[in-house]
Amino acid sequence: MIILTRVDHRLLHGQVAFSWTQNLGADCILIANDDVPTNDIRKTTIKLAKPQGVKLVIKNIEDSIAALKSGVTDKYKLFIVVESIQDAYQLANAYSEIKQINLGGIKAKEGARSIGKSVSVLPEEETLLDELVQKGIEVEIRQVPNDKKVLVQDVL
């Protein structure tokens, strides 16, 4: 069961590993990212941030979708973390069980505008977010679980 899908350019770090995982009661974290599985430095760093007692799976986007569709993840309280809005969009389009996306950290890029604390989006990302909302997916902005939830449609 997917508890939450989070977009965070840092992927797994203290905030995600501890506050979110504990708050959600997640027993498995899926890092869905095309670079990390082949980047030993990033993979090692992420493994070091893993909370004790929580399973960590690192797969590229295509393999993540295949794993979700296969049912192999159904036995877990799954917390999915992706690096970009594009990755979250791709997962949500391919797997309809993703019902909620949290925007937690998207660094500023040239041409992006800030829509929340630590969340900056490009015009093309705004379009993807709008499409996700139109599909009935709740897209919200929060750094940590205790922050006030801000729905993305209220700030786009």
Side-chain angles (χ1 to χ4, degrees):
M1 171 178 79
I2 298 171
I3 303 173
L4 183 66
T5 301
R6 177 179 169 92
V7 179
D8 193 316
H9 66 93
R10 296 177 292 172
L11 292 170
L12 193 60
H13 55 90
Q15 210 172 45
V16 172
F18 297 98
S19 339
W20 279 103
T21 304
Q22 287 179 353
N23 182 273
L24 295 168
D27 59 11
C28 184
I29 299 170
L30 169 61
I31 302 294
N33 180 274
D34 286 337
D35 176 57
V36 175
T38 59
N39 183 325
D40 289 339
I41 292 171
R42 288 186 81 191
K43 194 186 317 180
T44 300
T45 305
I46 286 169
K47 285 179 179 179
L48 289 172
K50 180 189 87 66
Q52 204 170 353
V54 177
K55 182 176 177 66
L56 174 65
V57 178
I58 300 171
K59 291 186 176 294
N60 65 33
I61 298 295
E62 191 178 308
D63 289 346
S64 295
I65 291 167
L68 291 167
K69 287 182 172 182
S70 78
V72 73
T73 62
D74 292 353
K75 64 185 174 208
Y76 297 107
K77 293 181 197 139
L78 189 62
F79 179 28
I80 302 171
V81 184
V82 297
E83 192 171 34
S84 69
I85 290 169
Q86 288 86 348
D87 289 348
Y89 180 84
Q90 199 175 339
L91 282 176
N93 265 341
Y95 192 66
S96 63
E97 294 303 306
I98 294 175
K99 306 284 188 213
Q100 185 183 24
I101 297 173
N102 163 263
L103 305 180
I106 303 168
K107 63 182 170 188
K109 303 173 270 306
E110 191 171 325
R113 73 179 181 104
S114 175
I115 61 167
K117 188 175 159 192
S118 299
V119 176
S120 295
V121 294
L122 294 166
E124 55 270 26
E125 292 171 324
E126 287 188 40
T127 302
L128 297 179
L129 291 171
D130 189 50
E131 285 182 37
L132 291 168
V133 169
Q134 297 306 316
K135 288 180 172 217
I137 296 170
E138 180 186 276
V139 182
E140 50 107 1
I141 300 168
R142 268 191 299 171
Q143 285 289 291
V144 292
N146 295 338
D147 284 352
K148 182 179 178 284
K149 184 187 287 194
V150 176
L151 296 176
V152 80
Q153 64 263 34
D154 296 341
V155 293
L156 283 182

